[in-house]
Amino acid sequence: MTSIRIQAGGKWSGYISRGKNIRMTAAGDRANLTTLLFQASDPSERYNMPDSLKAQHTAYLTSGHVLMSDQGRVLASIIDDTTGWHDTLSGYTTRRSTDRKYGVTTYQQERNDWYRSGYENLVVEMYRHRLTPRDLCTPVNFFSKVVCELDGTMRYESQPTAGTSITLRTEMELLLVVSNTPNPLDPEGRYPDSVIELTFSDAEPVKEDDRCLVHCEENRRAFENTWQAQSLLKGAY
Amino acid sequence: MSTSTFVATTSTREPATAIYDHIIPAGDGWIHDLAAGQVLRIVDLEGNQAVDTLFYATEDPGDHYSAIQTITGQQNLYLTTGSVLVAESGRELLQITADTCGRHDTIGGACSAQSNTVRYSHDTLPMHNCRDTFMLMLSSRPEFSKRDLAPNVNFFMNVPVTPEGKLTFADGVSGPGRYVELVALAPVTVLISNCPQLNNPCNAYNPTPAQVLIWEAEGSDSHV
């Protein structure tokens, strides 16, 4: 088992093979892990918010749901979730929004306690893997709950996150990019301080009664698309 | 909690004074550069037609329209008069200045052959779709690639989200002749796919043409 500890304001990226469990655990409340997923060998295939939400008739993510790519395939499945609601609509913080909400901080003044932004964290970790700001797209904000009223008003709703966890099972070879930066709609003026730990382990094979596979017919067809592509490439590497 | 509201705002611009007037047939694409200050009107000629639209900063084509930066910035899921459409960098691209429909979607994305197989059935793979149109249009310009596809605006489309987090495709917010008007706040490249989707009610199961009109910036003497 491999673990990675991401401090508040921290970031991480890495390649992960198919068939792994990624368990994300928040140490404190108001945790928010802004997350992008790309296919490792062709990162132009990536998590697609609209395709994932339309297929599963949901505006948020929890256990049983899957994260789909723009190619109609499953990047990762949510096999376990003790948090309850993961936001898909609020995006990432920027330098401007961070300075405006939490006050201007700089490395020169605050050293490593300065407040990082989601945009800068994502761009740096993407650039490490030869992606540029043009590859930015809608992320998932794990651990955050954002509700839309009938008139469209978007509202951050506080949910306990301390000690909760969500487990993703990878269904393809992935590039994972994460930023432990605040949810843009979290109204509190104090920068969050929750550490988030990522624990990686080998996953059990997907069984016929897998909760993500049987969640809806749409998910089954997305798994079938994924397996078909993998069978066509079998033996290639 | 307030209830669902659709407020129509009209424009005083006359089609006769437009410098550009074009019909986009159902299932076709359109790519066009707007100068800062120019006004674009998109007309749903026959009603209930989804017009899938992407925007790029012409001076930095890698900076595409950001659905989430736009809705988070206004803290509201739906687009209508007053909405400022922003790019991933935070750059302001356009503002909606008139809207006789009252609500437009930006989280429903564009249909693709692959998402059709997931949503409906594997045998929908050959059907024409917006993502193919987007890719064909982008491929006509060397500055773009597939990486420039991002969640788009669906003008005249209604994708309501409930407070419980349910998401559905609903029909019936638009009608014949309804339009949306936008002013370019920067030089903007507009990419449209006039949606050919036949598997859900977003086009009332009958895709129809859309019209695009452009007016010169107020007080400007130049022409396209």
Side-chain angles (χ1 to χ4, degrees):
Chain A
M1 269 216 298
T2 304
S3 283
I4 288 158
R5 191 175 177 274
I6 308 171
Q7 67 187 35
K11 57 187 171 50
W12 186 81
S13 64
Y15 291 99
I16 304 156
S17 67
R18 177 189 178 195
K20 298 281 186 196
N21 285 338
I22 310 169
R23 187 171 186 221
M24 304 169 166
T25 307
D29 285 326
R30 293 174 63 223
N32 184 75
L33 194 68
T34 302
T35 304
L36 292 170
L37 292 171
F38 300 89
Q39 199 236 97
S41 62
D42 172 14
S44 83
E45 179 175 1
R46 53 193 63 174
Y47 166 67
N48 188 292
M49 175 272 283
D51 287 2
S52 299
L53 301 188
K54 282 186 289 192
Q56 299 172 98
H57 308 280
T58 184
Y60 70 103
L61 296 173
T62 185
S63 50
H65 290 142
V66 301
L67 283 75
M68 293 180 194
S69 78
D70 60 284
Q71 294 302 302
R73 299 192 272 241
V74 184
L75 295 165
S77 307
I78 303 177
I79 59 167
D80 189 52
D81 175 24
T82 64
T83 315
W85 185 301
H86 302 273
D87 162 52
T88 60
L89 298 173
S90 305
Y92 46 83
T93 53
T94 61
R95 172 50 52 200
R96 198 163 148 233
S97 70
T98 304
D99 289 350
R100 196 187 300 150
K101 188 184 282 181
Y102 306 106
V104 174
T105 58
T106 61
Y107 173 77
Q108 182 162 288
Q109 282 294 324
E110 283 80 17
R111 295 300 188 221
N112 282 306
D113 292 331
W114 64 308
Y115 298 148
R116 315 294 183 98
S117 78
Y119 179 91
E120 291 165 312
N121 277 356
L122 294 175
V123 164
V124 170
E125 289 306 312
M126 285 175 15
Y127 207 76
R128 189 184 309 287
H129 305 289
R130 295 186 293 166
L131 302 176
T132 71
R134 80 188 315 149
D135 295 291
L136 269 176
C137 50
T138 310
V140 177
N141 283 315
F142 289 115
F143 299 107
S144 285
K145 181 172 186 177
V146 171
V147 170
C148 296
E149 305 293 2
L150 291 177
D151 69 353
T153 303
M154 298 169 73
R155 184 169 48 76
Y156 178 90
E157 196 168 285
S158 178
Q159 68 178 355
T161 59
T164 68
S165 69
I166 177 167
T167 305
L168 303 185
R169 182 183 61 213
T170 58
E171 310 294 353
M172 297 171 64
E173 324 282 312
L174 297 182
L175 169 62
L176 176 71
V177 178
V178 298
S179 170
N180 183 0
T181 40
N183 187 285
L185 295 179
D186 179 347
E188 197 171 312
R190 183 177 53 85
Y191 199 86
D193 60 5
S194 175
V195 168
I196 295 170
E197 188 173 34
L198 305 187
T199 309
F200 302 90
S201 59
D202 291 331
E204 297 287 323
V206 180
K207 298 193 179 70
E208 253 313 298
D209 63 348
D210 182 80
R211 71 185 303 180
C212 299
L213 176 64
V214 303
H215 179 78
C216 55
E217 282 304 306
E218 289 86 344
N219 282 10
R220 178 177 297 279
R221 287 191 289 270
F223 272 99
E224 287 166 354
N225 287 345
T226 316
W227 296 334
Q228 183 191 59
Q230 283 161 348
S231 79
L232 290 174
L233 266 176
K234 200 172 176 186
Y237 301 114
Chain B
M1 187 182 75
S2 41
T3 52
S4 173
T5 49
F6 291 80
V7 179
T9 46
T10 56
S11 164
T12 55
R13 287 185 178 82
E14 292 295 334
T17 63
I19 56 160
Y20 183 93
D21 184 346
H22 177 73
I23 304 282
I24 310 171
D28 266 21
W30 182 75
I31 190 164
H32 193 93
D33 296 323
L34 292 179
Q38 285 187 332
V39 172
L40 170 70
R41 182 188 293 183
I42 305 170
V43 187
D44 181 3
L45 288 173
E46 299 182 29
N48 287 319
Q49 175 60 26
V51 179
D52 292 44
T53 309
L54 275 165
F55 302 99
Y56 301 89
T58 309
E59 291 170 339
D60 178 8
D63 199 15
H64 54 248
Y65 167 72
S66 171
I68 47 134
Q69 292 284 68
T70 297
I71 61 176
T72 304
Q74 65 177 16
Q75 296 196 24
N76 192 294
L77 194 59
Y78 307 114
L79 306 184
T80 187
T81 303
S83 292
V84 175
L85 281 55
V86 301
E88 297 286 356
S89 70
R91 182 197 311 247
E92 297 185 345
L93 297 175
L94 308 101
Q95 183 167 28
I96 299 179
T97 52
D99 175 14
T100 62
C101 176
R103 176 186 282 190
H104 307 271
D105 161 72
T106 193
I107 64 161
C111 60
S112 75
Q114 289 71 29
S115 78
N116 280 344
T117 68
V118 171
R119 296 177 69 198
Y120 308 110
S121 63
H122 287 301
D123 63 9
T124 59
L125 190 69
M127 295 176 76
H128 187 35
N129 60 84
C130 284
R131 212 83 60 86
D132 282 3
T133 300
F134 278 159
M135 290 196 286
L136 187 64
M137 302 306 291
L138 287 179
S139 73
S140 70
R141 297 220 184 168
E143 66 269 33
F144 290 118
S145 79
K146 182 189 171 235
R147 295 156 63 204
D148 299 305
L149 286 178
N152 51 284
V153 179
N154 290 304
F155 289 113
F156 313 111
M157 198 166 108
N158 187 22
V159 182
V161 170
T162 68
E164 296 73 39
K166 288 277 177 208
L167 176 142
T168 50
F169 272 51
D171 189 19
V173 296
S174 189
R178 297 208 185 170
Y179 61 82
V180 60
E181 215 168 87
L182 306 101
V183 60
L185 304 175
V188 170
T189 301
V190 184
L191 172 62
I192 285 177
S193 163
N194 192 13
C195 183
Q197 180 63 275
L198 292 169
N199 296 293
N200 73 45
C202 69
N203 304 317
Y205 301 100
N206 176 32
T208 50
Q211 183 183 23
V212 281
L213 297 152
I214 297 170
W215 285 267
E216 204 50 276
E218 305 266 319
S220 165
D221 293 326
S222 59
H223 295 279
V224 231

